[in-house]
């Protein structure tokens, strides 16, 4: 299996671990853009989704928007945003901003839909009982609905994270760094080792993120019976 | 409309899901025979194997041992789809095809049999009318637009479409509310009067079994037959403690709903017309053990009772003196209803009249009791 | 925005749009055929479903750039380098939806069909398939939208590919030429949204029984 040995050789080459094009640097760039996009997406969309689920209002609009967001090809999204952000900030506007914004667009639908669905699927009898006990709306949301909806909500976050990590590789097409650079450069140089090395790194990053979130899910929402 | 009806016979039929084990199977050594044109009800508690037995007839489940004969032919020797197209099958959840119209649903088996479109449509309309659904209104609707009771009727129509000699019905009226169920049962019985098909009917409800069945097979846990016979037999002579408990401790009352006034020996009663001279009438009444006189009019329609003690020594009888009428019963009234009416009216006798309202005779609590004590027909 | 430039390149736009549809259609069609077979297998033998579905999702998590790049070393720069990954990516959406479609057939409908004398094949064709259609079309819809997006990325393989994505790659190469980039980006988004809508309408068309007249407008049922 030629590409396995090529990849191994590539990892073994010390030169690949240093400098601005080295593995640590690219990894950092990738984590940066993915993390930034996820944090911003969560900050905006998660509360929105939870609130819409809690109030059971505006669901149709939210779901419709999520559907639209999913339909938009990510490459096209970056391409559209780039001229705008570039005009705004010639430094980061060319590389960082468009990718982050497109990733936010990518992450939003799974987070939104899962937050909404998770809350809506909480047993309405429990919610009614909580209200009957005198809890206010936000208290019901925070103490009853959210804890019960947590598995589904975190599921959405996991799904979004994995997608963002995988798709952030597209940023390299526009000159951004990140692990995608190994893929682009590998194609340009016909360097099999570099390509597969990049694949391994992206997969590893995604797995680490998955494992981390799975662990978080176990801590926050220990499995209930049934 | 009524086509040929088949005979069904179970011979030592056994179904074992775990062929290796020695323990009892789901159905064990089931044997009984159903003559053509009769309704046989399989009844028993959950898990007694009644549905399994039913499904072995059209081989949705294959028997492990024994034979099931349809018109004397072993069902396992017939080609599977051909066998099933000749048996009507009705299940509790109906199973109408959601993507087809009611008309198309009813015509499923005719279509499988290759009838042409015109004949299929005619037959579907005929059957919809038969089950009480106006064809023009229902044939182009979809199942999702119908109520539970309507869907159940379509299910029956669909099973009848190819005029099969045998119908299998698995708790067909179980999924609707009691009022609708009663109506569907009555209509089905009326339909059966025309069609005279052989029907195997499964239910867990003993009252439904007694009402619907010409023959009842009571099954018990372990897939065994506890008793087989006409409903009255089960009620009058339960074969075991299990059967006695299963039919219910009110089986005496249940039997009463099976018999009718025509099964009871009517008693004669002294009668007289208003204006008849009292003296000879009084003598006749005193001679009769029953202490009341029944006033009737010229057409022999009952008017009211006169107490023996209130009869004048002579002079014309006065209709005004009569005590209010007992409930009027006819020969088709069930004994249960008759007794209920008599108790309600607080009288000793019920007056039986014919279709025109003319007196036929009277029944008393005692004569009804005597009819029940006689051995079941 | 340089509108003059766009007017000069309208026939390129037409060509690339056609290419885009062509690449998408092949992937959707072949992907559907293979996924259908896999789904039927998974429905017959439930135990096969987790591995099939699992494998499909793992494939889906591989970044598209990576998969296209990987196939470069296997099939060089050919149409299959583009198509095979596109087809592989459709599996996860197709298989899950097709299986769910068949699962959505109520068991009593299957039982009634058997009891009435439908053979296995006839039941599949006449009863199960029509009822599975809504979910199958939902699967086609998700797959179509996703594939349209992925086709833009095939532009990495060179100017023989990419569909509308070609303009994006070219635009970057020409020093972030905004007009060209937008010429690729906007039509591809529009295309994706149009196809999405069209499939929703198709689904409604194919399932008249799911959208019958409302109970209020039809005459009220009289019988129980």
């Amino acid at each position: 299996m030629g590409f396995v040995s090529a990849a191994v050789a590539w990892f073994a080459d010390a030169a690949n671990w240093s400098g601005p094009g080295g593995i640590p640097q690219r990894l950092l760039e990738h984590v940066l853009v993915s993390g930034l996009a996820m944090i911003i997406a969560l900050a905006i969309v998660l509360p929105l989704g939870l609130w819409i689920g809690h109030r059971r209002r505006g669901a149709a609009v939210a779901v419709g928007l999520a559907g639209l967001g999913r339909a938009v090809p990510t490459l096209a999204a970056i391409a559209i945003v780039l001229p705008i952000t570039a005009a705004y900030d010639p430094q980061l506007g060319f590389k960082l901003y468009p990718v982050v914004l497109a990733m936010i667009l990518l992450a939003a639908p799974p987070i939104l839909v899962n937050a909404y669905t998770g809350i809506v699927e909480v047993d309405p009898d429990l919610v009614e009982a909580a209200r009957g006990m005198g809890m206010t709306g936000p208290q019901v949301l925070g103490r009853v609905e959210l804890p019960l909806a947590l598995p589904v909500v975190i599921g959405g976050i996991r799904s979004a994270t994995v997608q963002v990590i995988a798709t952030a590789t597209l940023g390299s097409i526009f000159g951004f760094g990140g692990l995608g650079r190994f893929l682009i450069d590998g194609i340009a140089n016909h360097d099999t080792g570099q390509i597969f090395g990049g694949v391994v790194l992206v997969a590893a990053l995604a797995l680490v993120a998955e494992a981390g979130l799975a662990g978080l899910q176990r801590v926050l929402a220990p499995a209930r019976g049934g | 409309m009524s086509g040929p009806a088949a005979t069904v016979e179970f011979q030592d039929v056994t179904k074992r899901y775990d062929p290796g084990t020695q323990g009892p199977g789901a159905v064990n050594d089931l044997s009984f025979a159903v003559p053509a044109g009769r309704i046989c009800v399989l009844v028993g508690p959950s898990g007694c194997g009644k549905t399994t037995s039913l499904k072995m007839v059209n081989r949705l489940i294959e028997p492990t041992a024994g034979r099931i004969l349809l018109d004397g032919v072993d069902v396992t020797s017939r080609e599977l789809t051909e066998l099933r197209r000749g048996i009507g099958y009705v299940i509790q959840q109906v199973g109408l095809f959601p993507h087809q119209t009611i008309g198309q649903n009813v015509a499923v088996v005719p279509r499988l049999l290759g009838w042409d479109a015109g004949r299929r449509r005619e037959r579907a309309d005929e059957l919809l009318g038969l089950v009480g659904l106006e064809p023009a209104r229902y044939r182009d609707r979809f199942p999702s637009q119908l109520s539970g009771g309507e869907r159940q009727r379509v299910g029956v129509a669909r099973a009848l479409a190819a005029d099969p000699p045998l119908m299998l019905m698995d708790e067909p009226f179980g999924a609707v509310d009691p009022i609708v169920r009663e109506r569907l049962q009555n209509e089905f019985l009326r339909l059966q009067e025309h069609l005279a098909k052989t029907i195997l009917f499964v239910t867990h409800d003993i009252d439904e079994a007694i009402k619907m069945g010409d023959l009842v097979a009571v099954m018990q846990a372990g897939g065994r037959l506890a008793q087989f016979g006409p409903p009255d037999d089960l009620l009058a002579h339960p074969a075991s403690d299990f059967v006695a408990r299963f039919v219910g401790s009110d089986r005496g009352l249940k039997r009463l709903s099976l018999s009718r006034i025509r099964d009871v020996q009517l008693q004669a009663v002294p009668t007289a017309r208003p204006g008849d001279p009292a003296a000879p009438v009084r003598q006749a009444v005193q001679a009769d053990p029953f202490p009341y006189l029944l006033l009737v009019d010229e057409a022999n329609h009952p008017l009211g009772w006169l107490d023996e003690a209130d009869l004048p020594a002579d002079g014309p009888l006065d209709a005004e003196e009569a005590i209010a009428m007992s409930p009027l019963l006819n020969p088709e009234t069930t004994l249960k209803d008759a007794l209920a009416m008599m108790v309600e009216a607080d009288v000793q006798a019920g007056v039986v009249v014919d279709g025109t309202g003319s007196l036929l005779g009277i029944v008393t609590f005692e004569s009804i009791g005597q009819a029940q004590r006689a051995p079941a027909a | 925005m340089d509108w003059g430039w766009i007017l000069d390149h309208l026939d390129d736009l037409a060509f690339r749009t056609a290419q885009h549809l062509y690449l998408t259609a092949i992937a959707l069609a072949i992907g559907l055929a293979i996924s259908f077979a896999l789904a039927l297998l998974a429905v017959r033998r439930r135990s096969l479903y987790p591995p099939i579905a699992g494998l499909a999702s793992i494939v889906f998590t591989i970044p598209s750039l990576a998969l296209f790049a990987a196939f470069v070393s296997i099939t060089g720069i050919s149409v299959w380098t583009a198509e095979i990954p596109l087809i592989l990516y459709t599996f996860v959406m197709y298989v899950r939806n097709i299986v769910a479609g068949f699962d959505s057939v109520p068991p009593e409908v299957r039982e009634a069909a058997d009891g009435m004398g439908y053979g296995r094949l006839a039941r599949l064709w006449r009863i199960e398939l029509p009822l599975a259609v809504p979910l199958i079309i939902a699967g086609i819809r998700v797959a179509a939208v996703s594939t349209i997006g992925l086709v833009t990325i095939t532009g990495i393989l060179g100017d023989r590919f990419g569909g509308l994505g070609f303009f994006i790659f070219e635009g970057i190469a020409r020093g972030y030429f905004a007009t060209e980039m937008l010429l690729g980006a906007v039509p591809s988004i529009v295309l994706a949204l149009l196809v999405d809508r069209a499939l929703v309408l198709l689904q409604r068309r194919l399932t008249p029984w799911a959208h019958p007249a409302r109970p209020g407008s039809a005459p009220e049922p009289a019988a129980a």
Side-chain angles (χ1 to χ4, degrees), chain A residues 3-199:
Chain A
F3 51 84
V4 171
S5 51
V8 170
W10 183 78
F11 276 111
D13 186 351
N16 289 323
W17 288 87
S18 60
I23 292 173
Q25 170 79 1
R26 296 296 183 213
L27 203 55
L28 199 64
E29 289 166 347
H30 205 104
V31 169
L32 178 69
V33 75
S34 307
L36 209 56
M38 281 305 296
I39 291 173
I40 298 176
L42 281 171
I44 299 175
V45 173
L46 188 60
L48 187 67
L50 293 174
W51 190 246
I52 290 178
H54 172 71
R55 301 281 291 175
R56 282 165 170 77
R57 286 264 198 94
V61 171
V63 170
L65 281 177
L68 280 178
R70 248 196 292 255
V72 172
T74 313
L75 197 71
I78 303 177
I80 288 188
V81 172
L82 193 145
I84 303 172
T85 57
Y88 176 71
D89 179 348
Q91 289 290 72
L92 295 169
F94 263 105
K95 310 282 177 70
L96 187 62
Y97 291 174
V99 184
V100 170
L101 284 169
M103 290 302 106
I104 295 174
L105 179 66
L106 183 70
I111 297 176
L112 181 67
V113 170
N114 275 45
Y116 167 76
T117 310
I119 298 281
V120 159
E121 283 181 353
V122 170
D123 189 348
D125 294 337
L126 288 174
V127 174
E128 196 174 311
R131 267 193 242 270
M133 284 193 275
M135 289 195 199
T136 66
Q139 282 177 328
V140 172
L141 178 59
R143 298 197 204 169
V144 178
E145 291 177 311
L146 187 53
L148 288 171
L150 220 43
V152 177
V153 173
I154 294 188
I157 299 176
R158 272 165 77 170
S159 172
T161 308
V162 168
Q163 278 185 53
V164 165
I165 290 175
T167 317
T169 52
L170 292 181
S172 318
I173 295 176
F174 295 85
F176 180 70
L179 298 172
R181 283 303 286 271
F182 295 134
L183 304 174
I184 303 266
D185 294 343
I187 294 179
N189 303 331
H190 302 291
D191 186 346
T192 319
Q194 195 174 32
I195 295 175
F196 281 96
V199 173

Side-chain angles (χ1 to χ4, degrees), chain C residues 18-34:
Chain C
Q19 183 187 60
H20 205 116
L21 288 169
Y22 168 76
L23 290 173
T24 305
I26 294 182
L28 286 179
I30 299 181
L32 183 60
I34 301 178

Side-chain angles (χ1 to χ4, degrees), chain B residues 23-347:
Chain B
V27 176
N28 288 286
D29 299 316
L30 187 62
S31 300
F32 62 89
V34 184
R38 294 267 179 267
I39 301 181
C40 170
V41 180
L42 295 170
V43 66
S46 312
C48 69
K50 52 192 192 293
T51 297
T52 308
S53 306
L54 190 81
K55 288 189 182 177
M56 286 197 273
V57 178
N58 66 358
R59 292 170 62 194
L60 285 175
I61 296 177
E62 296 279 4
T64 314
R67 303 196 301 163
I68 299 176
L69 303 178
L70 191 60
D71 273 337
V73 176
D74 190 338
V75 295
T76 53
S77 70
R78 289 179 59 181
E79 197 274 312
L80 195 56
T81 54
E82 185 248 321
L83 170 74
R84 291 177 181 167
R85 289 172 197 182
I87 298 178
Y89 186 48
V90 183
I91 55 179
Q92 185 175 59
Q93 315 91 321
V94 195
L96 292 182
F97 303 146
H99 61 300
Q100 295 184 349
T101 61
I102 298 300
Q104 288 169 326
N105 263 283
V106 173
V108 164
V109 179
R111 188 170 190 176
L112 286 172
L113 292 173
W115 295 17
D116 65 73
R119 193 172 163 211
R120 293 202 304 262
R121 154 100 166 222
E122 220 181 278
R123 179 69 173 159
D125 283 356
E126 183 187 350
L127 288 163
L128 285 173
L130 208 64
V131 295
L133 298 173
E134 195 190 312
R137 270 179 65 178
Y138 285 91
R139 88 165 78 85
D140 292 318
R141 292 228 191 132
F142 287 104
S144 58
Q145 294 172 285
L146 269 55
S147 70
E150 291 170 330
R151 273 192 283 239
Q152 205 45 269
R153 290 165 194 257
V154 176
V156 173
R158 184 174 67 169
L160 288 170
D163 203 16
L166 171 67
M167 294 254 291
L168 301 178
M169 303 178 79
D170 189 356
E171 312 242 28
F173 309 134
V176 295
D177 66 67
I179 296 177
V180 173
R181 187 182 317 148
E182 163 117 20
R183 209 189 302 183
L184 289 175
Q185 287 169 342
N186 293 337
E187 291 189 22
F188 187 76
L189 286 173
R190 234 176 297 149
L191 205 61
Q192 170 68 347
E193 277 173 38
H194 292 293
L195 302 178
K197 292 205 171 298
T198 310
I199 300 178
L200 275 181
F201 190 111
V202 163
T203 179
H204 64 277
D205 180 0
I206 187 66
D207 290 314
E208 187 171 45
I210 291 171
K211 177 173 178 175
M212 306 291 290
D214 297 315
L215 291 165
V216 177
V218 179
M219 293 181 70
Q220 61 192 51
R224 295 201 175 279
L225 185 64
Q227 189 168 358
F228 180 72
D232 203 49
D233 251 2
L234 259 62
L235 294 171
H237 310 291
S240 66
D241 279 343
F242 168 76
V243 178
R245 261 181 293 125
F246 190 75
V247 298
S249 49
D250 59 341
R251 56 192 171 90
L253 276 179
K254 287 194 167 90
R255 281 190 69 207
L256 286 173
S257 62
L258 288 176
S259 309
R260 299 181 188 265
I261 293 287
R262 59 174 138 81
D263 301 328
V264 180
Q265 184 89 324
L266 295 179
Q267 282 176 251
V269 64
T271 62
R273 303 233 172 80
D276 281 354
V281 170
R282 188 164 179 212
Q283 262 183 327
V285 174
Q286 278 169 336
D288 194 281
F290 196 70
Y292 292 90
L293 168 75
L294 185 63
L295 275 181
V296 296
D297 64 14
E298 312 80 52
N300 221 15
H301 293 171
L303 296 171
W305 292 106
L306 281 177
D307 194 324
E308 175 185 319
D310 291 335
L311 288 175
D314 56 27
L317 292 173
D318 190 350
E320 301 287 297
E321 299 284 314
I323 302 169
M325 220 24 253
S326 309
L328 290 176
L329 312 170
N330 64 64
E332 292 303 309
T333 311
T334 66
L335 293 188
K336 192 172 176 193
D337 290 340
L339 281 174
M341 290 197 272
M342 286 161 64
V343 167
E344 168 100 30
D346 197 19
V347 294

Side-chain angles (χ1 to χ4, degrees), chain C residues 77-149:
Chain C
I77 306 272
S78 80
V79 71
W80 290 114
T81 319
E83 285 298 337
I84 296 181
L86 289 173
I87 293 171
L88 290 175
Y89 281 127
T90 62
F91 286 169
V92 74
M93 290 165 282
Y94 274 147
V95 172
R96 192 160 17 133
N97 275 283
I98 297 174
V99 170
F102 281 109
D103 280 350
S104 73
V105 177
E108 63 261 19
V109 168
R110 259 191 276 252
E111 189 184 327
D114 283 340
M116 282 190 283
Y118 268 103
R120 205 71 191 275
L121 202 62
R123 188 185 83 180
L124 181 70
W125 180 244
R126 283 231 122 91
I127 310 292
E128 295 181 283
L129 193 55
L131 290 173
V133 157
L135 278 168
I136 294 179
I137 301 241
I140 296 179
R141 192 176 142 205
V142 187
V145 161
S146 156
T147 305
I148 289 175

Side-chain angles (χ1 to χ4, degrees), chain C residues 2 6 22 25 30 35 51 54 58 62 90 98 103 109 117 188 213 219-220 223:
Chain C
D2 186 349
I6 291 183
Y22 168 76
I30 299 181
S35 302
I58 290 180
I62 302 177
T90 62
I98 297 174
D103 280 350
V109 168
S188 54
E220 285 303 305

